[in-house]
Amino acid sequence: MRYLIKFSYDGTKFHGFQRQNDVKNVQGTLERVLSDVIDNEIVIKGCGRTDAGVHANTQCAHFDTDKKITKEDISIINRLLNDEIVIKKWQIVKDDFHARHDVKWKKYVYKVNNGSYDKLKEGYYYQIKYHLNMSEMKRTIKLFKGTHDFRNFVSGPRLDYTTTIYKTNIKKKGDIILFEFVGIGFYRYMVRHLVGALIDVGRGKAKYYDVERMLENPLVAKNLSVVPAEGLYLMDIKY
């Protein structure tokens, strides 16, 4: 049987999602606990990787096992995971289902505290005191909607930098600013590049037209900011 699990995790507790030797990671931790409780060797296939410090409200993965997984099994697994990872939902899916290939869209949110420094928000918000021009950021974020070559907003080399963003939004409540992106796929550090560019525009370090040119002509390189991982959340995934 193939199972799909949906789970959340606190990114401050892990050195990213991907299984790695000698560092605590989400994939390896989940596989170890699942294998112990289910009494099968479990290998999970995630819908994608998150980097060190990035949080997930909803991450997804699939795995195969002959054992029927019960509510009691999940309770034991969550207890052993000690609230650092929480399995929220599990279900049997078709044998050809794939957690990464079958994704229709993902939603990311980046959280900024634009007020006084708050110790309780450390590791969970990007905390900055710059005055930000909200209207210019809201105007600029609309540029990212649609299908583009995001070469200037991705870290590391790729064969293809093209992807589609379906929805963008910026919300502000008090000192908290939320940057929202819904798209078919996001490449390495991409959301962090996009938010960094928007904050540069908000601060007056870059203009709307700089971002527009970087999207229209990927060879027109302009180095804009890349925000840290701590404010980034994988919020939802749709199949």
Side-chain angles (χ1 to χ4, degrees), residues 92-151:
I92 296 173
V93 291
K94 294 181 179 178
D95 289 342
D96 62 352
F97 173 86
H98 197 286
R100 179 165 62 90
H101 300 321
D102 291 342
V103 171
K104 292 181 179 178
W105 54 253
K106 299 178 183 179
K107 178 179 179 179
Y108 279 93
V109 170
Y110 194 90
K111 300 182 179 183
V112 171
N113 174 24
N114 196 212
S116 300
Y117 175 81
D118 184 344
K119 177 68 174 177
L120 295 177
K121 290 183 172 62
E122 186 176 329
Y124 302 97
Y125 288 76
Y126 181 35
Q127 305 198 67
I128 53 175
K129 293 185 178 179
Y130 312 124
H131 171 73
L132 297 175
N133 186 323
M134 290 297 299
S135 61
E136 275 301 291
M137 291 196 301
K138 288 182 176 181
R139 177 183 177 221
T140 304
I141 197 173
K142 294 177 183 178
L143 289 170
F144 298 131
K145 287 180 65 176
T147 302
H148 303 283
D149 184 325
F150 286 95
R151 189 182 312 259

Side-chain angles (χ1 to χ4, degrees), residues 4-5 31 47 54 74-75 88-89 97 99 106 118 123 126 142 147 177 200 203 218 229:
L4 168 67
I5 54 172
E31 288 176 340
C47 82
V54 177
I74 296 297
S75 296
K88 303 189 295 183
K89 185 177 180 180
F97 173 86
K106 299 178 183 179
D118 184 344
Y126 181 35
K142 294 177 183 178
T147 302
I177 304 172
D200 281 352
R203 293 178 63 189

Side-chain angles (χ1 to χ4, degrees), residues 50-78:
T50 54
D51 298 308
V54 177
H55 313 284
N57 181 68
T58 299
Q59 172 68 286
C60 296
H62 78 260
F63 62 87
D64 296 326
T65 180
D66 292 332
K67 181 178 177 182
K68 180 173 175 58
I69 298 174
T70 67
K71 185 176 181 179
E72 182 180 358
D73 291 329
I74 296 297
S75 296
I76 294 170
I77 291 165
N78 281 336

Side-chain angles (χ1 to χ4, degrees), residues 181-207:
F181 301 89
V182 177
I184 193 169
F186 296 87
Y187 303 132
R188 189 169 184 239
Y189 297 177
M190 182 172 156
V191 175
R192 292 165 58 186
H193 276 272
L194 300 179
V195 175
L198 293 168
I199 289 177
D200 281 352
V201 169
R203 293 178 63 189
K205 289 184 64 179
K207 303 293 186 183

